[in-house]
Each structure stands twice: as structure tokens, then as C-alpha cells.
Amino acid sequence: MDAKNIQLSMRLLNIQYYGNDRNIYQPGTENGMSKDTLEEIQLLSDTNGEIILICWDYEDNLPGKFYYKTEDFLAIYEYDTNRKEPTWEVLRLNEIINFGKD
């Protein structure tokens, strides 16, 4: 649910930024966006995990791909440009860390 709120917050913030001739996606930065943008997305989505915006889909004007990581899980969001819909993958980090230890 948090990752979906992040996606919606990014889309909302991008609409606001568009009016100010500003882009949400800032390639070359640590999280793919400016620090104030990251803080605003966390505030709007009510999340506190790590968010990394990998790319922005300028054609459909929404996030192309991002990661959201907490202590418990990693959510991977990617927009499928062929089907025109988002895809989600959620991984429990404990299961990944413990994989193959048995």
C-alpha cells in the first residue's frame, strides 16, 4: 500500500511541478530526485522508507520505475509501456537474506 501511495504522490507532485516548469525526476542525484521533492513525496504518501526513482516515463507522464525499501521489504514498481499499466513486485527482505542458509 505504501508503494502505491508513493506512486500516486509522485504523479500529483509532477502535476504541480509542471505548472512551475520543473521536473520531479532529477537524473544523477542520489535518489533520482531533489531532496525537497523526496521529502514532499514522503509527506504526501505518509511513508518513511527509502525511495529511489530510477526513471520517468515522459510519454505517459508518470514514474517509469522506482524502488521503495523498508527494513522488512523491497517494493519494485515499473510501468509497462506496452500494456499501459503498472506492475508491482514485493520482496520480503528476511526471505532474501536467509535464502540458501538451510
Side-chain angles (χ1 to χ4, degrees), residues 6-85:
I6 290 168
Q7 189 255 18
L8 292 172
S9 297
M10 285 181 176
R11 293 178 67 187
L12 173 66
L13 199 56
N14 188 63
I15 292 168
Q16 292 175 352
Y17 280 15
Y18 181 79
N20 296 326
D21 198 29
R22 182 176 172 190
N23 290 321
I24 190 171
Y25 179 53
Q26 301 291 318
T29 58
E30 184 177 350
N31 295 85
M33 56 194 127
S34 67
K35 185 177 179 182
D36 64 323
T37 300
L38 176 61
E39 290 170 356
E40 198 160 355
I41 289 170
Q42 289 175 324
L43 180 68
L44 288 169
S45 63
D46 193 29
T47 59
N48 57 7
E50 183 179 0
I51 303 168
I52 301 173
L53 181 58
I54 304 300
C55 65
W56 191 264
D57 185 322
Y58 290 102
E59 184 177 319
D60 293 314
N61 209 22
L62 44 79
K65 184 173 188 174
F66 72 83
Y67 302 126
Y68 175 60
K69 185 181 122 202
T70 67
E71 291 180 14
D72 299 324
F73 69 90
L74 170 67
I76 303 170
Y77 160 90
E78 189 164 9
Y79 182 69
D80 185 330
T81 55
N82 293 325
R83 295 178 14 206
K84 301 287 185 191
E85 62 184 44

Side-chain angles (χ1 to χ4, degrees), residues 72-76 89-93 95-96:
D72 299 324
F73 69 90
L74 170 67
I76 303 170
E89 185 175 359
V90 179
L91 307 167
R92 291 191 172 279
L93 294 179
E95 292 174 10
I96 293 170

